[in-house]
Amino acid sequence: MLIALTPKQRKDLFKMGEASKPFVEKVLEYANSNSEFLPAFANVEEMNKDWKAHHELNPCYNALNQIVSNLGDTVLLLGADLMKPSNAYYNSVQMGVKMDVPNAKPIYADLKVRYEQKPKKKENGTED
């Protein structure tokens, strides 16, 4: 079962990073062999299940995280590869407008909205 957390829940949780994994593993070993030190609220069986699930899910998470990162980079690069010739086309249309080339004005009017400046909002929420 996968779980979705709110940003606040994520912020408030204890984090187990790579440096903490050996510590947790040792605690589990001791908790299983010396349960007299286990606090009443701690359930070693649940801890063992969580440890097993963590070990099973972590490699999947790492692989998917790499795929998502590479997918994001690929989409970013494709966008950059599209923007260069798109801007060149737009600049050519602009030049066509300046030179009164037929059909340039309606194309320019349609494309220029991408670069029109929106009024900046002041701190009180009103526009300049």
Side-chain angles (χ1 to χ4, degrees):
M1 167 176 60
L2 296 179
I3 298 165
L5 299 173
T6 66
K8 181 176 181 350
Q9 288 171 320
R10 290 180 64 83
K11 181 180 175 277
D12 292 346
L13 288 174
F14 280 107
K15 310 298 187 289
M16 183 177 73
E18 288 300 316
S20 297
K21 288 180 183 180
F23 168 77
V24 171
E25 189 171 25
K26 283 183 181 183
V27 166
L28 280 169
E29 288 172 13
Y30 285 124
N32 284 303
S33 64
N34 299 86
S35 60
E36 68 270 19
F37 299 109
L38 194 64
F41 62 84
N43 182 330
V44 75
E45 289 83 18
E46 282 300 313
M47 290 174 69
N48 285 324
K49 286 181 194 176
D50 288 347
W51 182 251
K52 182 178 184 290
H54 186 274
H55 267 339
E56 291 171 355
L57 289 176
N58 210 42
C60 294
Y61 172 79
N62 290 337
L64 288 172
N65 201 29
Q66 183 177 9
I67 290 169
V68 168
S69 176
N70 291 347
L71 181 61
D73 290 347
T74 301
V75 169
L76 182 69
L77 183 60
L78 289 169
D81 287 349
L82 288 164
M83 283 302 292
K84 287 179 186 177
S86 295
N87 281 328
Y89 180 86
Y90 177 69
N91 290 334
S92 181
V93 169
Q94 277 184 310
M95 184 60 69
V97 168
K98 291 177 184 174
M99 298 176 69
D100 288 324
V101 174
N103 296 324
K105 285 183 182 179
I107 295 171
Y108 175 71
D110 191 32
L111 296 178
K112 74 176 185 175
V113 294
R114 163 62 182 90
Y115 291 104
E116 287 179 342
Q117 294 288 327
K118 294 177 184 173
K120 293 183 181 179
K121 290 189 177 182
K122 294 181 181 177
E123 288 184 29
N124 64 5
T126 61
E127 292 180 357
D128 278 341

